[in-house]
Amino acid sequence: MSKQLTVLEPEVCCAPLATATVPAEAAADLALAFKALGDPVRLQLLSMIASADGGEACVCDLTPAFDLTGPTISHHLKVLREAGLVESDRRGTWVWYRANRPRMASLSAVLDIAPTA
């Protein structure tokens, strides 16, 4: 049984960590996304998807890049999807993935270091 996640919209979250305290709900949401990125395979998958020509990648092109089984790759993609980092749709036999760029931008923004005065 998988957890049902509430992914916050980018405008909901957050000021950079160095400028304001992150609210509890936002912290829980951010932690899920950062946890998903804490695995090297998932980080590589997201990078491959985000940098793919046309902005999307077929699972059929992602799987051969790893020395892992198809079900293991599918699990990693599911974790990325549940964290709101990728979106997917089925086209015939294959599933195509695209990066959720606003979600990635919100993660980047919270880590932004504000200039010190």
Side-chain angles (χ1 to χ4, degrees):
M1 176 181 243
S2 64
K3 289 182 184 177
Q4 199 58 9
L5 308 179
T6 302
V7 176
L8 299 177
E9 294 299 317
E11 59 274 3
V12 173
C13 189
C14 294
L17 292 172
T19 64
T21 302
V22 177
E25 181 183 4
D29 175 61
L30 289 166
L32 261 92
F34 285 121
K35 183 177 179 181
L37 293 175
D39 182 275
V41 171
R42 290 194 286 268
L43 189 57
Q44 280 185 284
L45 282 166
L46 183 59
S47 176
M48 291 170 70
I49 294 165
S51 65
D53 288 340
E56 59 184 6
C58 177
V59 69
C60 60
D61 295 325
L62 299 170
T63 304
F66 300 91
D67 188 23
L68 298 169
T69 65
T72 300
I73 296 297
S74 292
H75 165 75
H76 286 299
L77 289 166
K78 177 183 173 188
V79 171
L80 290 172
R81 198 173 54 251
E82 288 178 344
L85 294 166
V86 297
E87 299 167 338
S88 65
D89 60 279
R90 180 171 292 282
R91 297 180 201 158
T93 306
W94 301 110
V95 178
W96 288 76
Y97 291 88
R98 66 199 155 279
N100 182 342
R101 293 187 185 280
R103 175 74 162 153
M104 292 170 60
S106 70
L107 296 178
S108 177
V110 80
L111 293 177
D112 190 26
I113 303 297
T116 56

